[in-house]
Amino acid sequence: MTLEEKLGQLQQLDGEANGNFRPEHLELVRKGLLGSTLNVRGAQRTNQLQRVAMTESRLKIPVLFGFDVIHGYRTIFPIPLAEASSWDPSLAERSAAVAAQEANNVGLRWTFAPMVDIARDPRWGRITEGAGEDPYLGAAFARARVRGFQGTDYSAADKVLACAKHWVAYGAAEGGRDYNTTDLSENTLREIYFPPFKAAVDAGVGTLMSSFNAINGVPATANAFTLTKVLRDEWKFDGFVVSDYTSVKELINHGFAANEEEAAAAALNAGVDMEMVSRSYNAFGPQLLKQNKLSTATINEAVRRILRIKFRLGLFERPYTDEAAEPNSLLRPESIRLAREIAGRSMVLLKNERDVLPLDKNVGSIAVIGPLADDRRAPLGWWAGDGKEENTVTPLAGIKGKVSAQTKVVYAKGCDVKDESTAGFQEAINLAKQSDVALVFVGELAEMVGEAASRSSLDLPGRQLELVQAIHATGKPTIVVLVNGRPLTIGWIVNNVPAILESWMGGSQSGNAIADILFGDVNPSGKLPVTFPRAVGQVPMYYNYMNTGRPPEAENRYTSKYLDVPWSPLFPFGYGLSYTRFKISNPQLSAQRIETNGKLTVSVEVENAGRRVGDEVVQLYIRDPVATMTRPVKELKGFQRVTLQPGEKRRVEFVLGHEHLGFWNREMRYVVEPGEFRVMVGSNSADVIETKFEVAAKQ
Ligand code: NOJ
């Protein structure tokens, strides 16, 4: 390969928003100067550009077509944060598999997913794209999504190459402001932010994307510690790393490079193999080489990594996509059924006083109210692939399709999500008064979450809370359904409204899934993968915090808390209700004492003490109460979803071992320290039963 051809493989350029390639792409591909595109899609278009690569370029290296297929391509599944609420990674694997199949059929061979960033700050809009705040749950979902997209062999015709992003600590943006800097100890990186990436690498992910943020003063896109020491040397990753959108050139704004030439050298030398959109590698590679600021070996290695993945993808054998297959491959009935099933399992019942829910399908009349009751866009969330609003089932449509023929369903929007007008309130109030029950759908628009969608308030936007208050004031039983992409501060609603369902942004089948739950065809079973704070001022707030020297005490002012809000969250991590009731009891350990490399089985009895079949997600947490470094008050180390018939009892088992009990010590070695350990098992992070065991030094 000539130097230009090598650098060409390191370049990725953006297509047009509608999926077309740009005219210049034809010429670049012909000359071997463009290795990959993003956003170019549609079998016809990708084939057209590919034909130029395969027949007109000297080396006939196929182009790699990438796109953000995050939670579905055309069949849109719940946002990843919602899917994580299922605590069932197998569902994420299945949805990713459908997304891969649809994407592959439109010429795509690479998705910029899964997004596996840990997010402890709901102000950050991209919390919606990940699996929440916990590294253990996050790792489980990372693994599952990689498996779903890639299968065991991503050259298969229904698979795509995955990309774990954003490497790394992007979710720790200060103040929750997107793209902002981060400052984190190596411990926190290794214990909180790295694990989902490690899981993705171990699951065989082919690519990673470097993030926009700086970490401890070094931008992630020029960070030799994360890109080379950890990723290559420690984890033995042999795929390639793509930069984020223009993040190579942005090294200048970071103040880490004086110009594009320095930016190119910094990123490529640190370990970013492919440059997304900016063109610094291509523009300055040759002169950097001449000046010895870049070596041929470094360029060769980056090219080798990219070509290795192109070979593994089978791109050379199967560069084209079957254009005839495209129309039949999208929105298959089984994909739509799956989207409904997953949405139903992703929703979280937050409150259900006096069993207001589920509703009777024969109820006389229902007022369906709120700006998100009949909105087709919001349920698709951010990064909705090529999902189409016309394929969204809204809550209103879902409810109409569910209730008996005699039930009267009336609808009023009441207000907009954003605007300040209350002109629609009266109509909504009137309808509520005339009905037996009012269902109010409030939350966020899709554009309020995702990239560049940080918020300084976690309140319901606009006049929505007042709308809920006005409907509640009618005295009619009022149920709130939240349609949103991040934790919201909904204290008033929690204190006043008898039933609340967190439906998240549930995808194309959202409305059907909501109706399935509201009318009892599906028993809710989701659990929050993030803490809901009471007030935005408590943020960052997460369950696996450190105890501090002055843990909060109600009667003692000089302890770690606030003057104006309780120290506890509104809803803890792992929380979620069911229409039935579960009892978790009788914890048993296989041993009272193990050695540092030993294993231990923890079991508890779970009973369905209610009258409906239902799923409980049993969660296991540990605590290392005394160690050479402070340790969190709780760490999730196991979870299991079990389905139980009314009255059924089952013993659920977890195995704890070396990989669960240790931490990264001050010398940055992973160690299990002898001493007492506590084990807590329960239905959420705040409701647990506790037992303990001893870890002894290895003899
Ligand atoms: C920027 C986003 O940060 C990243 O997640 C995405 O994959 C790229 N743009 C490409 O669209």
Side-chain angles (χ1 to χ4, degrees), residues 15-29:
E16 291 171 0
N18 63 9
N20 271 331
F21 50 81
R22 295 177 198 273
E24 76 159 332
H25 294 173
L26 287 169
E27 199 44 37
L28 290 170
V29 169

Side-chain angles (χ1 to χ4, degrees), residues 38 68 112 126 165-166 209 212 244-245 276 383 451:
L38 74 153
D68 290 282
F112 306 122
R126 301 196 80 168
K165 71 185 187 185
H166 307 79
M209 186 185 293
F212 284 123
D244 204 343
Y245 208 96
M276 187 190 284
W383 293 124
E451 192 179 344

